[in-house]
Amino acid sequence: MIAILKYNGGNVSSVQNALNRLGAESIITDDFALIRKADKVIFPGVGEASSTMKILKEKGLDQLIPTLKQPVLGICLGMQLMCKNNEEGNTVGMGIFDCKVKKFPQLDLVPHMGWNTVSHLKWPLFSEISNEDDLYFVHSFYCELSENTTSVCDYILPFSASLQKDNFFATQFHPEKSGKVGNKMLENFLKI
């Protein structure tokens, strides 16, 4: 069973639909007991950092998430809130990943929206995925490169397209909206 975190953040249904296409059983929940006993946890996110963190704090999810022992996948804003801080709303994150989230400089169109490739791919999420495969992004803020970076995207500047530390995985791109390549990445996560 996969627990998809329920916290009034966007994109929850898209993630569940992607899991359904893969034949994976999931539940959308904010119940601590169900989350703790789930085989995997997915923390999707679309929205604004400070207001989302406020909701996570009200539900106690900001304290629960860093204590989880099973594989956890943060997506987009979920990834950004797993970092130590975010320039959007001057938000303090959960600190799972030791990197900062910054706003893209206005040197090109912001938000970064659409298909892009990633490089410097590290397993296990990118097994059978190449740096020629496109993934779908939509974001105005980016995670710095760090020791936790497992893939890099270059838009305006190089940034972390994905992160991993221990049992915590995260992607800036949306695997649930990235077609066959995104499905493969989700399959790889399910196999961890």
Side-chain angles (χ1 to χ4, degrees), residues 156-174:
I156 301 177
L157 45 75
F159 65 88
S160 293
S162 61
L163 298 167
Q164 192 246 319
K165 181 180 178 183
D166 303 324
N167 58 309
F168 293 96
F169 301 82
T171 65
Q172 183 61 66
F173 55 86
H174 287 272

Side-chain angles (χ1 to χ4, degrees), residues 1-7 11-13 15-17 19-20 24-45 61 64-65 68-75 168-169 186 189-190:
M1 173 62 73
I2 301 151
I4 302 170
L5 297 184
K6 176 183 174 183
Y7 64 96
N11 226 36
V12 175
S13 296
V15 171
Q16 189 169 49
N17 288 339
L19 293 172
N20 288 344
E25 189 179 349
S26 64
I27 183 170
I28 298 170
T29 184
D30 58 3
D31 181 282
F32 280 32
L34 289 175
I35 294 167
R36 280 198 176 101
K37 73 178 187 180
D39 298 314
K40 309 260 187 319
V41 175
I42 298 182
F43 175 27
L61 291 169
L64 174 66
I65 293 168
L68 295 174
K69 303 300 181 199
Q70 68 271 61
V72 177
L73 176 64
I75 298 173
F168 293 96
F169 301 82
L186 287 172
F189 175 70
L190 296 177

Side-chain angles (χ1 to χ4, degrees), residues 18-159:
L19 293 172
N20 288 344
R21 286 192 302 271
L22 296 173
E25 189 179 349
S26 64
I27 183 170
I28 298 170
T29 184
D30 58 3
D31 181 282
F32 280 32
L34 289 175
I35 294 167
R36 280 198 176 101
K37 73 178 187 180
D39 298 314
K40 309 260 187 319
V41 175
I42 298 182
F43 175 27
V46 171
E48 191 273 333
S50 62
S51 57
T52 300
M53 185 54 83
K54 181 180 177 192
I55 293 167
L56 292 172
K57 286 181 177 181
E58 288 169 359
K59 292 179 172 276
L61 291 169
D62 65 314
Q63 297 298 312
L64 174 66
I65 293 168
T67 68
L68 295 174
K69 303 300 181 199
Q70 68 271 61
V72 177
L73 176 64
I75 298 173
C76 197
L77 183 59
M79 170 173 158
Q80 293 181 1
L81 293 176
M82 292 165 77
C83 296
K84 66 181 180 181
N85 58 44
N86 191 321
E87 286 184 356
E88 187 176 26
N90 196 27
T91 305
V92 175
M94 288 179 256
I96 294 166
F97 302 115
D98 187 20
C99 62
K100 296 178 182 176
V101 179
K102 297 182 175 181
K103 185 167 179 60
F104 277 118
Q106 287 291 155
L107 301 174
D108 203 336
L109 295 175
V110 176
H112 170 213
M113 185 164 61
W115 298 88
N116 210 332
T117 57
V118 296
S119 62
H120 301 86
L121 310 179
K122 294 183 183 173
W123 293 20
L125 285 188
F126 294 98
S127 178
E128 298 181 45
I129 295 173
S130 82
N131 58 12
E132 296 177 6
D133 290 321
D134 286 325
L135 296 158
Y136 187 78
F137 291 83
V138 55
H139 59 120
S140 298
F141 293 79
Y142 68 93
C143 297
E144 295 178 311
L145 298 177
S146 77
E147 64 182 16
N148 302 130
T149 300
T150 57
S151 69
V152 176
C153 185
D154 198 336
Y155 183 80
I156 301 177
L157 45 75
F159 65 88

